[in-house]
C-alpha cells in the first residue's frame, strides 16, 4: 500500500500547502505503523531479526541511486523496523525503556540543532534521501516536493511498539499516540522550522503508559520476550539432563536390554548371555 501511495499520490488533485503536508504525513505515518505492526511477531526470531537490516538498507541505497524512491522507502522501513523490534527484545527491564527514551531524546535534539543531522539537512536532498523516509504529497512527484521522517525515528517507533508489546503495556495506544505526536511536530515545522521527531515520539510513548511507569513494581518487570527466551533455554537444559545417563535408571534396566547414554536401545541381549552392567569393566 505504501508503494502504491508513493506512485499514485501524484495523480490526485493537490489541496493547499499546509493541508497537503498534513494529509501526506497522516497517510504515510499510518502505513508505516501498519508495516511495523505486521512485523511485530518477528520478535520471536530474536537475534536473527537484525540480519534483515543490512540487506534492506543495501537495497534501499541501490533504489535511491536509480530514483526509485517509493520502493526505497519500503526497504528503509523494513530495515529500520527489524532493527527497532530487535532492540526492544534486548531491553530487559521497563526502567531501561525510560532511560533510552530520555537519552535518545536529548541526543536527537542536539543532533538536529548542532550535530550531524543538521549537517545532513544542509547538504540538500541528495544526501538526505539516504537517511529519510519520504512522504509524497498529493499532486506532486517525490522529485518535486515531499516531507520526510528520519530512518532513526522509524527505528525508535518500532522499538517503542515492541517494548509496549513485550512489557504488556498499551502497544496500540502507543502507536496511535506516537503517530499523532509526529503529525503535530510536522504541523509546527510548517510554520516554524525543522524539528526533531524523536522527542515527541518518546513523550507520547511515556505519556500513554505513565500509569505503568508510576508503579514501582513495574520498573523491574521483565520483558516477555526475555522470559520466553529463558523458558526455551530452561526447556533445552531439562531435555539435555533427561538424556544423560542416570545410574539409578541403568541399575533398574531390564536384564534383556542395554542402553547407551541417550536412552536408546542398542540391541537385544540373549537371556543366557552374561553381561556386566554399563560402565563396569
Amino acid at each position: 500500500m505504501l508503494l502504491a501511495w508513493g506512485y499514485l499520490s501524484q495523480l490526485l488533485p493537490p489541496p493547499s500547502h499546509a493541508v497537503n503536508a498534513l494529509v501526506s504525513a497522516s497517510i504515510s505515518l499510518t502505513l508505516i505503523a501498519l508495516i511495523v505492526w505486521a512485523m511485530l511477531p518477528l520478535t520471536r526470531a530474536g537475534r536473527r531479526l537484525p540480519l534483515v537490516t543490512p540487506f534492506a538498507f543495501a537495497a534501499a541505497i541501490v533504489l535511491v541511486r536509480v530514483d526509485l524512491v517509493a520502493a526505497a522507502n519500503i526497504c528503509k522501513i523494513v530495515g529500520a523496523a527489524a532493527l527497532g523490534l530487535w532492540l526492544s527484545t534486548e531491553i530487559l527491564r521497563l526502567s531501561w525503556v525510560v532511560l533510552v527514551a530520555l537519552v535518545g531524546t536529548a541526543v536527537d535534539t542536539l543532533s538536529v540543532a548542532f550535530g550531524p543531522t543538521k549537517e545532513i539537512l544542509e547538504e540538500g536532498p541528495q544526501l538526505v534521501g539516504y537517511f529519510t523516509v519520504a512522504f509524497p504529497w498529493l499532486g506532486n512527484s517525490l522529485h518535486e516536493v515531499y516531507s520526510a521522517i528520519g530512518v532513526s525515528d522509524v527505528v525508535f517507533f518500532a522499538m517503542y511498539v515492541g517494548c509496549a508489546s513485550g512489557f504488556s503495556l498499551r502497544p496500540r495506544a502507543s502507536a496511535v499516540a506516537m503517530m499523532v505526536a509526529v503529525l503535530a511536530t510536522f504541523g509546527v515545522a510548517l510554520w516554524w522550522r525543522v524539528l526533531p521527531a524523536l522527542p515527541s515520539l518518546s513523550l507520547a510513548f511515556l505519556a500513554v503508559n505513565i500509569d505503568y511507569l508510576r508503579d514501582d513494581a513495574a520498573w523491574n518487570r521483565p520483558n516477555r520476550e526475555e522470559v520466553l527466551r529463558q523458558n526455551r533455554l530452561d526447556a533445552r537444559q531439562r531435555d539435555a539432563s533427561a538424556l544423560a545417563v542416570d545410574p539409578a535408571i541403568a541399575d533398574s534396566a531390564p536384564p534383556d536390554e542395554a542402553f547407551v547414554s541417550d536412552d536408546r536401545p542398542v540391541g537385544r541381549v540373549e537371556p543366557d548371555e552374561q553381561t556386566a552392567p554399563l560402565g563396569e569393566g
Side-chain angles (χ1 to χ4, degrees):
M1 292 178 65
L2 187 62
L3 185 64
W5 166 244
Y7 288 109
L8 296 179
S9 58
Q10 59 187 309
L11 303 178
L12 300 174
S16 65
H17 178 82
V19 172
N20 204 345
L22 294 177
V23 168
S24 162
S26 299
I27 296 175
S28 298
L29 287 169
T30 300
L31 295 175
I32 290 173
L34 290 175
I35 292 175
V36 172
W37 194 268
M39 293 179 63
L40 193 56
L42 296 180
T43 52
R44 299 189 185 98
R47 291 175 178 144
R48 292 170 294 178
L49 183 55
L51 298 177
V52 173
T53 301
F55 294 101
F57 285 170
I61 291 172
V62 173
L63 292 169
V64 169
R65 293 295 298 270
V66 297
D67 288 333
L68 295 176
V69 180
N73 280 343
I74 303 294
C75 295
K76 294 174 191 176
I77 294 167
V78 170
L83 182 59
L85 291 173
W86 166 67
L87 288 173
S88 74
T89 67
E90 297 297 318
I91 296 177
L92 307 184
R93 293 291 181 270
L94 185 57
S95 55
W96 298 10
V97 184
V98 179
L99 180 61
V100 169
L102 296 177
V103 173
T105 295
V107 170
D108 192 48
T109 301
L110 293 174
S111 179
V112 171
F114 310 106
T117 302
K118 181 176 183 292
E119 295 180 5
I120 290 173
L121 292 172
E122 291 174 350
E123 288 293 330
Q126 181 70 28
L127 188 56
V128 171
Y130 292 104
F131 295 93
T132 58
V133 176
F135 296 168
W137 285 30
L138 296 170
N140 298 274
S141 72
L142 284 167
H143 300 289
E144 296 171 336
V145 61
Y146 64 87
S147 304
I149 188 172
V151 171
S152 60
D153 297 322
V154 180
V155 172
F156 272 86
F157 179 87
M159 186 191 71
Y160 288 143
V161 171
C163 287
S165 175
F167 289 103
S168 301
L169 305 179
R170 298 186 178 93
R172 291 182 179 84
S174 297
V176 172
M178 288 188 289
M179 287 191 297
V180 172
V182 174
L183 188 60
T185 303
F186 269 93
V188 173
L190 285 173
W191 286 278
W192 190 34
R193 51 167 293 181
V194 176
L195 295 173
L198 185 52
S200 59
L201 272 177
S202 301
L203 290 175
F205 171 78
L206 296 176
V208 167
N209 299 290
I210 190 64
D211 53 331
Y212 288 100
L213 302 177
R214 287 176 176 173
D215 184 0
D216 292 339
W219 278 74
N220 291 318
R221 179 187 299 175
N223 191 316
R224 184 174 60 200
E225 293 300 326
E226 174 62 18
V227 172
L228 293 175
R229 188 159 51 202
Q230 187 60 47
N231 288 344
R232 289 192 294 267
L233 179 62
D234 291 344
R236 285 196 294 268
Q237 291 175 342
R238 286 195 300 270
D239 291 343
S241 299
L243 292 175
V245 174
D246 187 335
I249 296 177
D251 292 339
S252 62
D256 62 339
E257 195 166 357
F259 292 84
V260 292
S261 61
D262 61 354
D263 293 343
R264 291 177 298 178
V266 295
R268 303 286 297 181
V269 179
E270 294 300 325
D272 58 343
E273 292 185 19
Q274 297 297 320
T275 59
L278 289 178
E280 298 181 5

